[in-house]
């Protein structure tokens, strides 16, 4: 499916560990992560064990420093791998919990949610096709949230405490 190589030092230096499957607690493999390489698919890194805390969604590539993946620090405690996806993308967002209120369907990236949806808050959504990434701020900045197909009846279902979503994009595999 894919592989992540975690390095304790910047620029791929120091102790390292290779991972080719989901890992709910990386602590026994390394103390901190300052650089990494991702190949063969996307991955989601989490600041805490058991897929909790800040999320970082990475495409295949090299990341010589944690700032390259918009990391707040060098603490990575769990990870999930996702194979390349080449299908369709479709989701519906709602301005109220439990799929209520004003809604809009999307099939493409949105750099500014307010400009297109006229609401700043997304309280629930239904991901019908594809993998999506929500960002806290417009233009794909701030905290990231990974969403796979399914119903998310409240913003806490995708790991956030605040329903404000500034932008979102499809998690695409470049050919």
């Amino acid at each position: 499916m894919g592989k992540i190589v975690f390095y304790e030092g910047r620029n791929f230096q120091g102790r390292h560990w290779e991972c080719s499957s989901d890992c709910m607690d990386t602590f026994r493999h390394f103390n901190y992560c300052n650089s990494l390489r991702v190949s063969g698919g996307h991955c989601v890194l989490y600041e805490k064990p058991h897929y909790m805390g800040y999320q970082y969604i990475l495409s295949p590539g090299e990341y010589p420093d944690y700032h390259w993946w918009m990391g707040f620090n060098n603490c990575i405690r769990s990870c999930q791998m996702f194979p390349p996806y080449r299908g369709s993308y479709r989701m519906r967002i709602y301005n109220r919990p439990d799929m209520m209120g004003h809604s809009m369907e999307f099939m493409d990236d949105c750099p500014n949610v307010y400009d297109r949806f006229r609401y700043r808050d997304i309280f629930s959504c239904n991901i019908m096709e594809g993998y999506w990434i929500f960002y806290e701020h417009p233009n794909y900045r701030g905290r990231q949230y990974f969403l796979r197909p399914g119903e998310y009846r409240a913003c806490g279902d995708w790991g956030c405490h605040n329903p404000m979503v500034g932008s979102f994009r499809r998690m695409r595999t470049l050919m």
Side-chain angles (χ1 to χ4, degrees):
M1 177 175 6
K3 179 173 76 170
I4 311 170
V5 182
F6 297 93
Y7 295 86
E8 287 192 345
R10 288 184 169 97
N11 297 311
F12 319 108
Q13 300 295 310
R15 196 169 85 163
H16 67 278
W17 177 64
E18 290 187 15
C19 179
S20 57
S21 64
D22 296 352
C23 181
M24 69 172 52
D25 193 351
T26 62
F27 187 72
R28 65 186 176 103
H29 303 291
F30 56 86
N31 295 321
Y32 43 86
C33 178
N34 278 299
S35 57
L36 54 86
R37 290 185 169 109
V38 179
S39 61
H42 289 83
C43 70
V44 182
L45 308 177
Y46 298 85
E47 176 193 34
K48 297 181 180 178
H50 305 281
Y51 317 117
M52 304 293 287
Y54 288 123
Q55 301 176 24
Y56 307 108
I57 298 99
L58 278 64
S59 301
E62 295 191 344
Y63 301 84
D65 184 276
Y66 69 85
H67 293 106
W68 282 55
W69 65 80
M70 294 191 281
F72 290 105
N73 56 46
N74 63 5
C75 187
I76 301 298
R77 288 293 169 247
S78 53
C79 63
Q80 292 178 301
M81 298 291 297
F82 294 90
Y85 177 79
R86 292 182 175 88
S88 300
Y89 293 82
R90 193 164 63 103
M91 76 164 165
R92 181 169 288 279
I93 61 174
Y94 300 84
N95 75 326
R96 305 277 11 116
D98 294 318
M99 316 303 191
M100 303 287 281
H102 182 74
S103 71
M104 184 177 268
E105 192 166 300
F106 289 87
M107 299 172 71
D108 58 347
D109 299 348
C110 180
N112 190 310
V113 170
Y114 184 78
D115 287 350
R116 298 231 347 240
F117 188 51
R118 294 295 175 227
Y119 294 92
R120 296 190 193 287
D121 295 338
I122 298 175
F123 280 88
S124 56
C125 69
N126 183 5
I127 305 295
M128 296 168 271
E129 297 178 84
Y131 299 131
W132 294 78
I133 306 165
F134 281 4
Y135 294 85
E136 181 179 25
H137 302 296
N139 299 311
Y140 317 115
R141 295 179 302 112
R143 289 186 69 169
Q144 306 167 37
Y145 302 98
F146 172 71
L147 292 91
R148 66 184 89 205
E151 290 187 351
Y152 297 83
R153 297 195 155 284
C155 62
D157 293 350
W158 63 78
C160 76
H161 303 291
N162 181 339
M164 190 171 70
V165 175
S167 54
F168 55 78
R169 69 169 40 143
R170 299 162 290 167
M171 190 168 89
R172 294 181 294 170
T173 300
L174 301 175
M175 311 255 187

